[in-house]
Amino acid sequence: MLGVIRKLKCPKTGKRLKLDSTEKFLEVEDSDIRYPLYGPIINFIPEIKEQDFFVSETDKKSLDSLEKVMADEKKTLGDKLSMPEEFRALVLDIPSGGDLFVGEDYARYREANILVADSNPAILARARQRYESLGINNAFFICCNLDNLPLLEGAIGMAVSILGFNRVKEKKQLITEIKRVLRVSGTFNGAFYIQSSPSQQYLRDMGLSSDIFSSMDEVKGLMSDKFDFMDQELLGDKFVFECRKSWPSCGVKW
């Protein structure tokens, strides 16, 4: 946990955080701001309370349906997702759900930490259950606004986002934030929905989807000035990619 805390910052002040003496809060340096810890979950959204991190019966039905859809999507993606065999730096899974596709990979990263970010407390609580069932004890969870990540610049080595961006309203801002928190040469791997499909309509009917990207060109237009694409493929209604943080954006002069 302490290694992860050193990578975090207060989303309000930008200052660093430290564990308080009770180990139940993160304190902001030179401030009276505190963020509560619920086990491995850190809550950065004040209006969300501890009881919100329990999965209600209504939430359970929706999340069961979501996971069923994602299980079907995993079959269509097959081995198209690119993940390293080993990894030792901090991994950011954003928004939560990448483990439904690459949980076996995460389970191999014993020398890394997995940081799972989402603004939905029920989804984070469900993710915690899944990680525990996979025997992954190096996963930590942050409930935060996704357009203002509580992470220091260059804090992570790899970002993963697989078929969850459709739940994000501020897509452009989150892409900018992912670029900011990636270290030099850090990678961004994932898959985005880029057009309407039966699964998309199903998720929208459940209230688990917002607007999706309209095309592969829209995605590349948002990302090409921030990332260099190393691999990309259009797979039906999904754009699968692996990219790296662009060197010029890191201030490197040739």
Side-chain angles (χ1 to χ4, degrees), residues 83-87 105-112 138 158:
M83 297 289 287
E85 284 295 315
E86 297 181 0
F87 202 75
D105 297 280
Y106 289 168
R108 291 200 307 269
Y109 300 162
R110 297 297 182 181
E111 296 182 49
N138 54 340
M158 176 170 61

Side-chain angles (χ1 to χ4, degrees), residues 145-164:
N145 294 313
L146 300 185
D147 58 351
N148 182 21
L149 298 179
L151 281 157
L152 295 171
E153 185 172 342
I156 65 171
M158 176 170 61
V160 178
S161 185
I162 305 173
L163 302 185

Side-chain angles (χ1 to χ4, degrees), residues 146-199:
L146 300 185
D147 58 351
N148 182 21
L149 298 179
L151 281 157
L152 295 171
E153 185 172 342
I156 65 171
M158 176 170 61
V160 178
S161 185
I162 305 173
L163 302 185
F165 240 71
N166 54 296
R167 295 196 288 108
V168 177
K169 293 182 179 179
E170 300 297 333
K171 293 177 175 58
K172 181 178 181 181
Q173 182 59 28
L174 178 51
I175 288 172
T176 299
E177 280 289 273
I178 289 172
K179 175 251 180 178
R180 179 184 67 80
V181 302
L182 270 174
R183 70 185 183 186
V184 173
S185 78
T187 57
F188 182 18
N189 302 342
F192 294 162
Y193 285 113
I194 59 165
Q195 63 187 40
S196 296
S197 67
S199 60

Side-chain angles (χ1 to χ4, degrees), residues 1 18 43 177 237:
M1 172 67 87
K18 64 178 182 179
N43 182 22
E177 280 289 273
D237 61 341

Side-chain angles (χ1 to χ4, degrees), residues 9-28:
K9 69 169 187 175
C10 172
K12 294 180 180 179
T13 67
K15 293 184 177 181
R16 291 179 179 269
L17 306 172
K18 64 178 182 179
L19 193 63
D20 83 331
S21 59
T22 69
E23 299 188 354
K24 294 181 178 180
F25 294 90
L26 293 185
E27 297 178 330
V28 181

Side-chain angles (χ1 to χ4, degrees), residues 1-253:
M1 172 67 87
L2 291 177
V4 171
I5 292 172
R6 285 194 288 269
K7 303 283 189 177
L8 300 176
K9 69 169 187 175
C10 172
K12 294 180 180 179
T13 67
K15 293 184 177 181
R16 291 179 179 269
L17 306 172
K18 64 178 182 179
L19 193 63
D20 83 331
S21 59
T22 69
E23 299 188 354
K24 294 181 178 180
F25 294 90
L26 293 185
E27 297 178 330
V28 181
E29 63 179 17
D30 303 321
S31 171
D32 58 359
I33 300 173
R34 299 197 307 172
Y35 298 104
L37 288 168
Y38 309 127
I41 299 177
I42 308 169
N43 182 22
F44 287 97
I45 304 180
E47 56 267 30
I48 292 177
K49 306 303 178 184
E50 184 174 7
Q51 60 267 25
D52 298 321
F53 289 93
F54 292 92
V55 180
S56 68
E57 283 303 311
T58 301
D59 290 333
K60 184 179 184 302
K61 291 179 181 178
S62 295
L63 295 174
D64 285 346
S65 297
L66 173 62
E67 291 179 14
K68 183 179 184 299
V69 172
M70 292 301 105
D72 292 339
E73 295 290 31
K74 183 176 182 178
K75 296 175 184 177
T76 67
L77 286 173
D79 59 355
K80 300 299 183 180
L81 295 167
S82 179
M83 297 289 287
E85 284 295 315
E86 297 181 0
F87 202 75
R88 294 180 174 84
L90 184 63
V91 179
L92 176 65
D93 190 298
I94 186 167
S96 172
D99 64 292
L100 292 167
F101 298 88
V102 293
E104 298 86 354
D105 297 280
Y106 289 168
R108 291 200 307 269
Y109 300 162
R110 297 297 182 181
E111 296 182 49
N113 282 315
I114 315 296
L115 189 61
V116 184
D118 210 293
S119 59
N120 186 311
I123 286 177
L124 278 178
R126 182 62 164 261
R128 178 184 177 182
Q129 294 171 355
R130 292 198 306 268
Y131 278 82
E132 289 177 351
S133 70
L134 290 168
I136 300 174
N137 56 16
N138 54 340
F140 303 91
F141 307 84
I142 54 174
C143 187
C144 63
N145 294 313
L146 300 185
D147 58 351
N148 182 21
L149 298 179
L151 281 157
L152 295 171
E153 185 172 342
I156 65 171
M158 176 170 61
V160 178
S161 185
I162 305 173
L163 302 185
F165 240 71
N166 54 296
R167 295 196 288 108
V168 177
K169 293 182 179 179
E170 300 297 333
K171 293 177 175 58
K172 181 178 181 181
Q173 182 59 28
L174 178 51
I175 288 172
T176 299
E177 280 289 273
I178 289 172
K179 175 251 180 178
R180 179 184 67 80
V181 302
L182 270 174
R183 70 185 183 186
V184 173
S185 78
T187 57
F188 182 18
N189 302 342
F192 294 162
Y193 285 113
I194 59 165
Q195 63 187 40
S196 296
S197 67
S199 60
Q200 269 299 295
Q201 187 58 51
Y202 184 59
L203 294 173
R204 189 175 290 111
D205 291 343
M206 292 192 299
L208 292 171
S209 180
S210 61
D211 294 332
I212 61 173
F213 295 108
S214 62
S215 66
M216 183 173 66
D217 289 340
E218 181 187 2
V219 175
K220 295 179 72 173
L222 287 174
M223 295 177 64
S224 59
D225 64 333
K226 301 174 179 64
F227 302 96
D228 296 322
F229 284 93
M230 298 182 291
D231 195 12
Q232 56 185 286
E233 182 173 355
L234 185 60
L235 194 65
D237 61 341
K238 291 171 278 292
F239 176 54
V240 186
F241 62 89
E242 178 184 9
C243 55
R244 191 180 301 277
K245 184 173 178 176
S246 298
W247 281 87
S249 69
C250 306
V252 175
K253 297 181 179 180

